[in-house]
Amino acid sequence: MSSAHSNTLAQESSINDNFSGPESRFECPICLAWLRDPVLTSCGHRFCRSCMDSWLERENPSCPIDNTKLEKGVDIFPDNFTRREISQQKTKCPNLVRGCLEELSPLDVETHLLTCQYKPPELPENEKLRCAFVEFGCEDKFEDEPELQRHLEQYIHKHLNLLSQAYSKFTINSPSTSAIAQQANFWDPPSKNDTSVSSNHDNVNGLLKALYEKAVLLEQKTREQDIIIANMSEQISSLNLSMSKMHLRYCNGCYLWYFNDFKNKINAMRNDSRIMHYSPGFYTAANGYRLCIRLNLSPKDPNYIAILIHVMKTEHDNALDWPFSGRLTITLVHPLQPFHNIKETMMTRPELDAFKKPVQDMNPKGFGYTEFALIEELFSQGYVENNHLLIKVQAQPV
Amino acid sequence: MANIAAQRIRREFKEVIKSEEVAKCAIKVELLNDSYTELKGEITGPPDTAYEGGTFVLEIKVPETYPFNPPKVRFITKIWHPNISSVTGAICLDILKDQWAAAMTLRTVLLSLQALLSAAEPDDPQDAVVAKQFKENIEMFQMTARHWTNVYAGGPHVNKECDDKIKRLVDMGVEEHQARVALSSYNWDIERATEQLFS
């Protein structure tokens, strides 16, 4: 394929040489073309008649070759010998490469070319072949492939220059074409003047753009889902919290307090008598009084534990009767033998501060037994199981 | 443009491109427009002259009556030569005037100009100041021409003495080329050049 191609090129250029440069004896030194209606000067030089006529219109004309004075009508003769020789010359049409087999007199070539059916089509400007270096600034256009090939061979130097210029621009511009700038480009509307040359490039760009848009949408969706999940887990944890408080509200005044880590807490309280432990607040009814249990060492005798009940504030205190009055039962549950349970019941006393409507979160004063049980006995008689103590409080408003 | 002029330039153009001189980089022609009326020529300074190593750019305008009338040629590159104006680049060469012949071509014109650089005609000057220096002090002329070739045509011979003198005038506020012209015209006598510049 390539050898056939170079062959056509060689033919083309040899025809071209024939065409552009007639043998010097057949060439007019003025128009540099084949002698047309040749004349001979007295000094022995040949010219086209029309070229010589134009030249002789100058003042004091002389021969364009050797400066000999020439006089019109005296020193100029028709050269019929040369005219006959030229008319016997046959040359091939320059469109041979495109299939024209016409053999012509060199003088007729130009007239023939105007009507030659093999002449390269006069393509409209936008259908002409562009130089392969058009992107680097070579604006030349061609009628057909051989012309383009010839151009590429002739202008190697020019194209190299264009390439090196483009390269220097490229290196200067490259820092600005950062990934972010390219991403931004993907949001631009597609260019309207789609040319067939760059369609392949556009396809890739289009694909990239579509993928990029999809990625952005997915990213956005992921972000939204993250927010929804965060909200839901917040809701769940707040629900869990209120669920965990549910048994406090709906225990009907009967609350079991698992007092764990008993030994350590007792030791800590022995070291610091100010330490007191409170149970969570529980309700006597869904909208009833709220109470909590306090456990600490008896201030009078640190060998005893004190168990007291405190009244706590609720959001519906104004709907309740004050002072709180009712029966309170405190039971220290023996884990194995129910008949060992220590059970104490007491009635509220309305005159005590402990039962008044609480002003703070919890009434500072409590009501109960400061010496409820001897710590020693709790251990020895098996109330403490797995290091925890179970205290049950029943509160019944009356 | 008349058909014959364009056609001839087209043919000549091929001739120049193929010629031996282009192969040796001695001359060069480039088209400046599609109608073959304006061209850019380039000749190198001939060896063993003050212009050696320089590249001189020429403006070539082809008249409609070409080749019956000569092309209009002038130097774009500034040059110090008796037959070429140091100001306008206009050339005094007979073949570009009355001695033109229709058989001459761009190639022969460029080669003639190259020949003019190696053989000045001080008796038929275009630039009287340069011609006077050429006749009276040929060494001074050679040095100046070499310096101009270095500065404007990319020639290899740097003349530090000239550059220093020009710098002194430039430091005084004179434009560089003006300073070079003044110094060149007064045989690099800085006092006389200063006097001329500031009078």
Side-chain angles (χ1 to χ4, degrees):
Chain A
M1 177 66 209
S2 69
S3 68
H5 195 75
S6 60
N7 196 21
T8 28
L9 272 178
Q11 272 188 26
E12 169 96 1
S13 62
S14 70
I15 289 162
N16 236 34
D17 286 347
N18 268 347
F19 176 61
S20 63
E23 255 180 87
S24 62
R25 64 193 171 115
F26 296 137
E27 185 189 69
C28 167
I30 293 180
C31 65
L32 302 181
W34 287 83
L35 284 166
R36 192 176 288 271
D37 197 1
V39 292
L40 188 66
T41 60
S42 54
C43 54
H45 299 111
R46 293 189 192 94
F47 303 92
C48 301
R49 173 167 295 284
S50 62
C51 290
M52 190 31 93
D53 285 350
S54 304
W55 179 247
L56 290 177
E57 280 166 25
R58 286 166 65 101
E59 278 176 46
N60 302 321
S62 56
C63 173
I65 307 279
D66 67 3
N67 243 349
T68 312
K69 286 259 177 280
L70 293 178
E71 202 178 316
K72 202 173 182 175
V74 177
D75 298 308
I76 313 290
F77 316 99
D79 186 349
N80 288 325
F81 177 79
T82 308
R83 179 213 294 268
R84 196 162 42 249
E85 274 203 288
I86 290 176
S87 70
Q88 283 164 359
Q89 297 282 322
K90 288 289 175 209
T91 183
K92 283 172 182 158
C93 172
N95 288 333
L96 174 70
V97 69
R98 299 184 191 92
C100 183
L101 300 174
E102 199 89 26
E103 293 213 353
L104 314 138
S105 152
L107 293 174
D108 297 333
V109 167
E110 270 168 44
T111 1
H112 165 77
L113 276 181
L114 292 177
T115 56
C116 176
Q117 53 175 321
Y118 293 97
K119 68 179 171 185
E122 274 290 323
L123 293 172
E125 204 49 22
N126 56 354
E127 283 176 26
K128 284 187 179 173
L129 293 175
R130 301 301 303 259
C131 171
F133 290 83
V134 64
E135 283 182 45
F136 303 101
C138 184
E139 295 292 333
D140 294 348
K141 294 176 181 174
F142 308 95
E143 303 284 352
D144 60 3
E145 201 63 35
E147 257 190 78
L148 172 59
Q149 287 299 336
R150 207 163 54 232
H151 167 81
L152 287 177
E153 285 187 4
Q154 252 177 25
Y155 289 92
I156 290 172
H157 196 73
K158 175 184 171 184
H159 291 152
L160 276 178
N161 272 339
L162 288 172
L163 269 179
S164 73
Q165 280 168 17
Y167 175 72
S168 65
K169 276 183 201 154
F170 173 74
T171 47
I172 291 164
N173 285 342
S174 57
S176 71
T177 57
S178 65
I180 291 171
Q182 277 184 358
Q183 281 189 2
N185 282 344
F186 289 140
W187 289 106
D188 292 345
S191 95
K192 279 168 191 158
N193 42 2
D194 266 358
T195 55
S196 58
V197 182
S198 61
S199 70
N200 195 21
H201 192 61
D202 282 358
N203 278 346
V204 176
N205 253 353
L207 182 64
L208 273 180
K209 195 170 154 177
L211 286 175
Y212 179 73
E213 276 172 19
K214 204 158 202 171
V216 168
L217 289 179
L218 288 174
E219 235 167 65
Q220 175 67 22
K221 202 159 192 173
T222 311
R223 240 168 252 165
E224 285 170 11
Q225 302 283 14
D226 281 350
I227 292 170
I228 291 173
I229 289 173
N231 285 342
M232 286 174 89
S233 55
E234 209 169 287
Q235 276 178 17
I236 289 173
S237 68
S238 78
L239 277 176
N240 270 343
L241 194 65
S242 56
M243 281 288 282
S244 70
K245 286 179 178 170
M246 216 56 135
H247 72 281
L248 296 171
R249 191 176 268 272
Y250 295 101
C251 66
N252 267 327
C254 176
Y255 181 68
L256 294 175
W257 188 23
Y258 292 87
F259 190 83
N260 50 25
D261 202 13
F262 186 69
K263 278 181 198 163
N264 284 339
K265 282 175 180 169
I266 291 294
N267 287 335
M269 284 187 286
R270 277 180 178 148
N271 288 337
D272 184 351
S273 60
R274 286 169 299 177
I275 295 178
M276 298 177 178
H277 292 277
Y278 295 90
S279 75
F282 59 95
Y283 290 78
T284 58
N287 289 312
Y289 301 89
R290 188 180 175 215
L291 311 169
C292 73
I293 311 164
R294 179 180 114 194
L295 189 153
N296 56 289
L297 296 189
S298 165
K300 290 175 196 161
D301 183 348
N303 288 321
Y304 285 89
I305 54 163
I307 296 181
L308 297 102
I309 310 292
H310 282 263
V311 177
M312 295 179 83
K313 206 176 192 174
T314 71
E315 70 283 358
H316 51 261
D317 276 350
N318 290 336
L320 297 169
D321 296 324
W322 296 104
F324 169 63
S325 81
R327 184 190 293 125
L328 296 170
T329 308
I330 301 172
T331 312
L332 194 58
V333 181
H334 192 283
L336 298 172
Q337 291 139 325
F339 59 86
H340 280 311
N341 285 359
I342 305 169
K343 187 173 178 180
E344 300 290 348
T345 302
M346 50 195 181
M347 294 304 293
T348 59
R349 282 193 263 155
E351 75 278 6
L352 290 181
D353 283 349
F355 302 108
K356 287 185 175 160
K357 184 180 168 186
V359 190
Q360 302 162 26
D361 189 44
M362 181 175 78
N363 263 349
K365 296 218 167 160
F367 178 70
Y369 300 89
T370 51
E371 282 137 35
F372 189 86
L374 196 61
I375 297 170
E376 200 60 29
E377 282 181 9
L378 292 178
F379 284 112
S380 61
Q381 296 184 15
Y383 288 92
V384 182
E385 190 196 42
N386 293 334
N387 203 17
H388 74 243
L389 194 67
L390 179 55
I391 300 163
K392 177 184 174 185
V393 170
Q394 281 171 289
Q396 286 168 304
V398 184
Chain B
M1 174 178 244
N3 195 25
I4 182 165
Q7 212 171 52
R8 226 191 86 144
I9 294 292
R10 209 160 32 229
R11 289 187 171 135
E12 280 188 41
F13 206 70
K14 284 183 183 158
E15 179 198 36
V16 178
I17 284 176
K18 275 191 242 156
S19 71
E20 218 181 306
E21 293 84 13
V22 165
K24 288 188 291 188
C25 299
I27 62 171
K28 196 163 122 185
V29 185
E30 270 174 42
L31 281 178
L32 292 184
N33 63 10
D34 287 342
S35 56
Y36 294 90
T37 52
E38 283 179 35
L39 299 97
K40 188 181 112 175
E42 242 179 65
I43 57 174
T44 53
D48 303 322
T49 66
Y51 310 103
E52 184 174 9
T55 305
F56 299 88
V57 179
L58 298 150
E59 175 191 270
I60 304 171
K61 289 191 171 167
V62 180
E64 279 189 32
T65 51
Y66 186 79
F68 303 106
N69 285 303
K72 294 183 170 60
V73 186
R74 71 178 188 93
F75 276 82
I76 301 278
T77 307
K78 294 191 189 315
I79 184 168
W80 191 252
H81 187 283
N83 303 107
I84 301 159
S85 165
S86 61
V87 182
T88 62
I91 303 164
C92 177
L93 182 63
D94 54 3
I95 62 150
L96 291 177
K97 294 173 182 164
D98 50 343
Q99 290 303 300
W100 170 254
M104 290 175 180
T105 62
L106 292 177
R107 178 174 157 266
T108 54
V109 166
L110 292 182
L111 293 177
S112 301
L113 286 172
Q114 217 169 21
L116 182 67
L117 294 190
S118 35
E121 292 279 357
D123 291 324
D124 184 16
Q126 177 78 31
D127 195 310
V129 178
V130 185
K132 186 163 170 279
Q133 189 184 60
F134 184 93
K135 282 184 168 174
E136 290 173 358
N137 189 345
I138 184 80
E139 265 118 49
M140 183 64 72
F141 163 81
Q142 295 279 9
M143 185 196 84
T144 309
R146 228 189 318 274
H147 170 69
W148 280 53
T149 304
N150 165 240
V151 173
Y152 296 115
H157 300 287
V158 179
N159 190 324
K160 195 166 179 304
E161 208 180 313
C162 295
D163 290 340
D164 287 348
K165 284 180 181 170
I166 289 165
K167 189 169 180 302
R168 273 170 69 188
L169 288 181
V170 168
D171 289 344
M172 289 154 88
V174 184
E175 194 270 319
E176 186 191 318
H177 178 64
Q178 236 183 333
R180 182 168 294 112
V181 171
L183 283 163
S184 301
S185 307
Y186 288 102
N187 293 340
W188 298 90
D189 181 332
I190 196 159
E191 277 77 32
R192 285 177 62 200
T194 317
E195 194 181 315
Q196 185 255 328
L197 283 167
F198 290 97
S199 62

